[in-house]
């Protein structure tokens, strides 16, 4: 469902005040004092800043506890403890993937997120129930938010027999992207996992997005195996590496060489700007021409209590993590949370130019950097020209 | 000015619902269904969580650009460039220390901050005007917020002749704390600066709070000179080191030894949990018994565009920076932003117990950790029993 509307007195990216004509969900004309066809609904924006729709390019819609009351954090510190605790609590707490993904998606929509790439757990316990729930949400919200699913073997792919078959089934069902994680750290079989993942991508014609938490040289080793397969199989421009903590390691010469290969193979990086871990540096990636997108990661789940789905707050965290202070640099942090995510997801016509899809966010701020550092509740959010949220809240209520 | 009031149906620290009788600004009684003296005003809290007043133990009230319209960031990346750019823009932009400190203090009060330690620039250009402005604010807001001033030689102490005389004058005028910074990095004269700072502290009977950005072994060297002087001069319990980035260095054995000496000499650490720099780890300090307090640092000033004065958001940043996930650990991050800051400032009767000063924050949250991660606008803030802010806004308007 799309809409026709005239927006009055908005400032795209903080520029001059203009009007915007939207028809059939697309931006048709941008001009001051625009004379619009009779009978079109009009929205007075009062000089609000207009931004393109925000993009959460790395999250886990199936896992959030949002709206389930406060639950004390239970998991121990290791990655394996978090994974095992999550599988247990999923059973004990009735973390229904459809209901919970609806809640998170609508929470995010209220903050101006109009597209989400969600990893969804596939394992021998939950089977395909998580994916079914999130796909049901994607369908239910298809007019409001673009949701892409990644079939994600959170509990291990090679180390948990039966998972590969479920992943194949998930991709046949319509999962959009092939996921993977820590081929050394979780599976202790990097060749096995990566061959399986790339084979699935080839067989089903899908892109890849691999979680790589492995730090330092271990992560660099796994990353090189991903680089080699991307090159050998002609998967340039179809692979994302999420987290990529190894790019934050102190050996900057080593990192520079890895980044050069990422650029050459057009591999994208997704970050959540984790403040407590080494992370890929935004400026290094930008200088090399590697697309960096960003996400909220898990929001208030069994992994940790943080998060609220606000990608403008994430832009602030990305700016703080990377010590970005100049306005142009903070604008790059914003791009990571919007334009770059749209590029990674391959969204058609994302932006504020004539011809683009009218996915946009109205906010009381003077400039893009001001919007990032202050991130007040969004005045309104439009999806394909339709107003879908006001005052920070989605108009559609969550279950 | 203090007040008498009965608060109905609040949950101190997220515990059971109780009433609270406040008389002459102090908490007199806490009990369910409390029968209060006739004629006392009553406030229905609706089950809100009650927290003790937040404490911003490290900020720069004289520098903020809050309320002055958006200004593009101009400073280059080095510390020296930031310092020099600030001195230039202070002249060009009319950053009036009284007006600006009023704005920031009332912004912070709206978020529940009832006490602030503010470093205030003293140099040969601004002279004592910054201190005069902030002291004027402290006086004007004395019923609303406790403001402590640190005479802070931002542009250098030894390297800028005339500054020591101004510092002496500032301390005679009533600055509460002797400041210093980077005795190697800024003054290139660690012995000179630290002897001068400790001599002032002795002469005027004031505590010390030194900015120490110096990383790694350089910072450890300066820190040891501070430790030695604290010990030699019997200044135990009277010295704070702010930032202390050197405690984030990779050599954990070295750091452990430094922390042991900090504990022995009862030296406090103030952090802003900088996401882009090595920082002292909250858990290491807690384990060793070193008090860690926190602050917002500069808020939207010539140093950078970030910040909003919210110490609950700072607790979240501290939690994220230190990878704190368990509720008890996030509660420690909260303590750093409240109780611990009060201890460092030597505030009398801070807390939610009977007998404490009735400085408290009411917030819609289930638990302390929930309040930290969600930090919604404060429902109300009380100072000495008087309601001074509602819905995130100070009742007293800023200039």
């Amino acid at each position: 469902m799309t809409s026709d509307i005239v927006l009055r007195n908005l400032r795209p990216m903080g520029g001059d005040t203009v009007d915007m004509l939207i028809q059939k969900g697309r931006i048709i004309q941008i001009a001051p004092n625009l004379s619009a066809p009779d009978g079109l609904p009009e929205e007075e924006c009062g000089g609000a800043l207009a931004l393109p729709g925000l993009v959460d390019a790395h999250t886990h819609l199936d896992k959030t506890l949002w709206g389930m009351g406060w639950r004390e954090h239970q998991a121990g510190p290791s990655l394996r403890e978090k994974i095992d605790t999550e599988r247990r609590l999923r059973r004990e707490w009735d973390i229904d993937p459809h209901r919970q993904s609806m809640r998170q998606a609508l929470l995010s929509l209220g903050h101006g997120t109009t597209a989400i790439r969600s990893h969804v757990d596939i394992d021998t316990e939950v089977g395909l129930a998580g994916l079914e729930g999130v796909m049901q949400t994607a369908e239910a919200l298809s007019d409001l938010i673009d949701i892409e699913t990644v079939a994600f073997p959170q509990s291990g792919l090679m180390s948990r027999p039966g998972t590969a078959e479920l992943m194949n089934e998930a991709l046949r069902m319509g999962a959009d992207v092939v996921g993977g994680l820590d081929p050394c750290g979780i599976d202790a079989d990097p060749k096995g996992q990566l061959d399986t993942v790339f084979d699935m991508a080839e067989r089903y014609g899908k892109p890849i997005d691999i979680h790589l938490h492995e730090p330092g040289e271990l992560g660099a080793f796994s990353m090189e195996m991903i680089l080699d397969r991307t090159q050998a199989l002609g998967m340039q421009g179809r692979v994302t590496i999420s987290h990529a903590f190894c790019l934050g390691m102190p050996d900057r010469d080593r990192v520079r060489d890895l980044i050069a290969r990422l650029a050459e193979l057009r591999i994208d990086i997704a970050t959540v700007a984790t403040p407590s871990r080494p992370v890929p540096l935004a400026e290094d990636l930008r200088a090399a021409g590697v697309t960096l997108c960003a996400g909220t990661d898990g929001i208030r789940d069994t992994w940790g209590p943080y998060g609220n789905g606000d990608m403008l707050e994430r832009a602030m965290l990305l700016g703080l993590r990377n010590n970005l202070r100049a306005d142009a640099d903070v604008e790059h942090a914003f791009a990571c949370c919007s334009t770059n995510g749209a590029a990674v997801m391959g969204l058609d016509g994302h932006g504020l130019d004539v011809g683009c899809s009218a996915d946009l966010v109205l906010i009381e701020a003077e400039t893009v950097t001001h919007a990032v550092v202050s991130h007040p509740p969004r005045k309104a959010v439009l999806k394909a020209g339709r107003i879908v949220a006001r005052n920070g809240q989605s108009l559609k209520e969550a279950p």
Side-chain angles (χ1 to χ4, degrees), chain A:
Chain A
M1 195 164 70
T2 62
S3 191
D4 296 358
I5 192 170
V6 181
L7 305 179
R8 296 286 183 198
N9 299 311
L10 68 170
R11 294 181 304 109
M13 302 306 278
D16 292 338
T17 304
V18 293
D19 298 344
M20 185 183 281
L21 171 64
I22 295 166
Q23 288 182 306
K24 294 185 181 164
R26 299 243 158 210
I27 300 170
I28 300 298
Q29 204 184 340
I30 300 173
N33 308 310
L34 193 149
S35 67
D38 284 347
L40 236 57
E42 300 209 350
E43 173 83 6
E44 172 56 50
C45 302
L49 179 71
L51 300 169
L54 304 172
V55 179
D56 186 345
H58 184 108
T59 189
H60 297 267
L61 287 175
D62 53 324
K63 297 175 185 243
T64 184
L65 304 172
W66 199 267
M68 290 177 63
W70 188 256
R71 312 266 171 147
E72 285 219 0
H73 182 76
Q74 297 199 3
S78 78
L79 189 57
R80 179 49 75 188
E81 284 169 297
K82 292 193 185 85
I83 292 170
D84 294 344
T85 302
E86 176 173 59
R87 270 205 323 283
R88 174 172 62 78
L89 293 176
R90 202 164 56 196
R91 292 191 298 273
E92 294 176 13
W93 283 355
D94 179 32
I95 309 174
D96 180 78
H98 172 52
R99 182 191 64 216
Q100 293 310 114
S101 58
M102 286 288 285
R103 287 178 181 168
Q104 183 178 325
L106 291 171
L107 173 73
S108 295
L109 184 66
H111 296 309
T113 293
T114 55
I116 292 176
R117 172 178 282 187
S118 176
H119 299 256
V120 183
D121 285 11
I122 309 283
D123 66 47
T124 52
E125 283 190 27
V126 75
L128 300 167
L131 182 65
E132 285 162 4
V134 175
M135 287 181 71
Q136 200 182 338
T137 294
E139 176 62 28
L141 303 183
S142 62
D143 286 343
L144 305 178
I145 189 162
D146 300 309
I147 296 176
E148 193 177 66
T149 53
V150 185
F152 177 49
Q154 171 79 77
S155 293
L157 180 51
M158 310 313 286
S159 55
R160 188 166 275 266
T163 305
E165 292 72 14
L166 287 164
M167 291 272 290
N168 277 307
E169 181 58 27
L171 294 162
R172 281 193 295 268
M173 267 173 64
D176 302 294
V177 182
V178 187
L181 91 160
D182 294 353
C184 294
I186 292 294
D187 270 347
D189 181 2
K191 182 174 188 315
Q193 183 187 118
L194 293 174
D195 284 348
T196 304
V197 164
F198 276 84
D199 178 62
M200 285 180 193
E202 214 174 16
R203 193 175 335 151
Y204 298 99
K206 311 250 181 182
I208 289 172
D209 189 335
I210 299 180
H211 279 65
L212 192 60
H213 307 95
E214 294 164 6
E217 283 299 338
L218 181 64
F221 166 73
S222 292
M223 185 175 277
E224 285 178 324
M225 293 184 72
I226 295 169
L227 291 161
D228 291 344
R229 282 162 178 72
T230 302
Q231 186 161 14
L233 299 171
M235 287 282 289
Q236 289 87 341
R238 310 257 300 150
V239 175
T240 303
I241 300 176
S242 284
H243 301 304
F245 290 150
C246 63
L247 296 179
M249 71 176 155
D251 184 345
R252 304 314 292 167
D253 287 342
R254 179 86 161 103
V255 168
R256 195 190 50 239
D257 292 347
L258 288 168
I259 289 177
R261 281 198 75 196
L262 290 169
E264 186 192 316
L265 297 168
R266 291 179 281 121
I267 293 177
D268 307 315
I269 301 293
T271 190
V272 306
T274 316
S276 60
R277 301 301 306 275
V279 292
L281 294 182
E283 295 304 287
D284 288 357
L285 295 175
R286 177 159 71 151
V290 175
T291 301
L292 178 66
C293 63
T296 56
D297 213 349
I299 293 178
R300 198 176 295 179
D301 57 21
T302 66
W303 291 66
Y306 302 96
N308 58 18
D310 185 354
M311 287 302 297
L312 273 186
E313 184 187 276
R314 185 63 48 179
M316 177 189 80
L317 293 172
L318 186 63
L320 285 169
R321 182 68 184 85
N322 286 277
N323 200 15
L324 306 177
R325 299 176 189 230
D327 293 58
D329 295 334
V330 179
E331 285 162 21
H332 178 231
F334 170 76
C336 294
C337 296
S338 176
T339 325
N340 292 8
V344 169
M345 287 179 64
L347 296 178
D348 169 46
H350 183 269
L352 293 184
D353 299 324
V354 168
C356 288
S357 176
D359 295 2
L360 53 92
V361 183
L362 299 170
I363 185 168
E364 297 285 3
E366 294 184 52
T367 68
V368 174
T369 298
H370 186 208
V372 168
V373 302
S374 59
H375 52 277
R378 306 313 104 89
K379 195 176 159 89
V381 180
L382 283 86
K383 176 67 182 174
R386 191 153 66 101
I387 293 173
V388 293
R390 285 194 190 274
N391 305 315
Q393 300 284 336
S394 156
L395 298 182
K396 182 179 175 72
E397 275 188 35

